Amino acid sequence: MQTQQENEQLKRTMKTRHLIMLSLGGVIGTGLFFNTGYIIATTGAAGTLLAYLIGALVVWLVMQCLGELSVAMPETGAFHVYAARYLGPATGYTVAWLYWLTWTVALGSSFTAAGFCMQYWFPQVPVWAWCVVFCAVIFGLNVISTRFFAEGEFWFSLVKVITIIAFIILGGAAVFGFIPMKDGTPAPGLSNITAEGWFPHGGLPILMTMVAVNFAFSGTELIGIAAGETENPHKVIPVAIRTTIARLIIFFIGTVFVLAALIPMHQAGVEKSPFVLVFEKVGIPYAADIFNFVILTAILSAANSGLYASGRMLWSLSNEKTLPRCFARVNKNGVPLTALSVSMLGGVLALFSSVVAPDTVFVALSAISGFAVVAVWISICASHFVFRRRHLQSGQPLSALQYRAPWYPLVPVLGFILCVVACVGLWFDPSQRIALYCGLPFVALCYGAYYLTRNMTSQEPEHVAE
């Protein structure tokens, strides 16, 4: 039977180091390497630091909720399973498609960002040409190397973590004059942070960029996706959550501080990674080229994770008979080829966007992906709220939960509110408003599709092997 064949791939083989690096690897990608430039240009240095601190709080709240759910019910495709169980099957179906949208659109922004990286060396070659190349590479890697995914992503992510640590150390040394600037100018110190005032455009841009910040943090929830494939989830998941959040705060806040200190607000943007901008200014030979290469590999690694996650979500929906059975079919290598192929739509979208207007469409793609992941986070908080309430109503003691989110119900309620506020902030930014124009109808379409198709899919016969 095909379902048996697929379940053989879902053994609990991931260890703590895999789970931590998978989560870190999903996060350290396009959002951090490119979106940070957009956020600095929009909110100023101090505003960017504050926005990322708020984003870190949101991530902590959501991950506490997800931790309790994942330890109690370790499932592959966790978010939509929890939402279906505690918020209704239509909501679970919609959450699964939203998470698919998160990653398939993130593929588009990742391929576009990778094209920007290549233009650093080959400015005459258009972005769309590189998008074609990287679409083929990432699709090929997913088709061939699924069984090595966890180990491969561990090493990819390790490279990214080492890069971030090196950036914070070297960039911090340049900020305070331990490493000279290339043009001989004195070390900037904190002058760029204070030059335009603490909040040069007021407080509204911070609200406007919250979804962009949350997009930069997206990927932490991969811990929930991988929970069903993890050894001893009740022990491993809490450790992974604690270490991941602590490292993210250090990496993101430290990185944003260095970027904001070295790049004047008016020079920041998305067409060139702010990391490369920094090392063009610092007097370290070939540093900009080296970091551009590392950023390129990091972005492609995040795209690799994204295609895996989106393909798994479609497989999970089909496995639960809410999508046609073709999405759960696997080829001779055990790969859900149809699910992966449909998920590559994000890469095709990148080809279109990079021809039209790569810089502006990149922000729009990031906003759509950010809206989708924040909507998923909202469902995680709401699912946890209902789960804990039902647990208590059933008369079971709290001690029966091997991992408990603190300060219930404050944690899920505050997480829910902050995520909703971030979505509202999209309305105030014309360049990101398209996320609401696309995202809200997409949610409505998913609910409608569920009620239209549930009877048809429920009548289909059991899966058979190809």
Side-chain angles (χ1 to χ4, degrees), residues 199-251:
F199 304 105
H201 298 147
L204 183 60
I206 297 174
L207 175 64
M208 289 161 46
T209 57
M210 280 312 304
V211 163
V213 170
N214 290 331
F215 171 68
F217 278 115
S218 65
T220 48
E221 71 288 331
L222 282 170
I223 288 175
I225 287 284
E229 301 170 67
T230 303
E231 292 179 350
N232 303 316
H234 64 284
K235 295 180 180 179
V236 171
I237 291 173
V239 173
I241 287 175
R242 283 194 295 269
T243 54
T244 297
I245 291 175
R247 292 175 189 182
L248 282 179
I249 292 174
I250 294 170
F251 292 163

Side-chain angles (χ1 to χ4, degrees), residues 30 104-114 215 299 346 350 353 362 365-366 369:
T30 311
T104 197
V105 175
L107 285 174
S109 58
S110 293
F111 291 139
T112 305
F215 171 68
I299 289 169
S353 69
F362 174 81
L365 288 176
S366 299
S369 184

Side-chain angles (χ1 to χ4, degrees), residues 207 374 378 414-425:
L207 175 64
V374 172
I378 289 172
L414 183 58
F416 184 95
I417 291 173
L418 288 176
C419 287
V420 171
V421 168
C423 291
V424 172

Side-chain angles (χ1 to χ4, degrees), residues 46-99:
T48 301
L49 286 168
L50 180 58
Y52 270 98
L53 284 170
I54 296 171
L57 172 62
V58 173
V59 169
W60 183 84
L61 294 169
V62 172
M63 293 303 293
Q64 292 302 316
C65 297
L66 181 60
E68 183 170 316
L69 291 167
S70 297
V71 171
M73 300 166 289
E75 303 265 6
T76 298
F79 322 124
H80 80 92
V81 176
Y82 305 146
R85 192 171 298 170
Y86 296 106
L87 305 178
T91 301
Y93 177 85
T94 301
V95 165
W97 275 110
L98 278 169
Y99 198 64

Side-chain angles (χ1 to χ4, degrees), residues 122-181:
F122 306 101
Q124 72 280 6
V125 180
V127 172
W128 69 263
W130 294 115
C131 288
V132 172
V133 173
F134 294 133
C135 281
V137 169
I138 293 300
F139 188 74
L141 286 174
N142 265 266
V143 169
I144 295 168
S145 62
T146 299
R147 42 186 283 214
F148 304 112
F149 177 79
E151 194 66 33
E153 279 304 306
F154 171 81
W155 294 106
F156 274 133
S157 300
L158 185 62
V159 170
K160 288 190 274 190
V161 169
I162 292 172
T163 300
I164 293 294
I165 293 172
F167 174 81
I168 293 173
I169 293 172
L170 296 175
V175 169
F176 297 106
F178 297 104
I179 295 177
M181 305 301 286

Side-chain angles (χ1 to χ4, degrees), residues 419-448:
C419 287
V420 171
V421 168
C423 291
V424 172
L426 288 171
W427 180 257
F428 297 97
D429 186 353
S431 65
Q432 296 189 92
R433 199 175 294 158
I434 189 174
L436 296 178
Y437 295 151
C438 296
L440 294 177
F442 184 83
V443 169
L445 179 65
C446 288
Y447 273 99

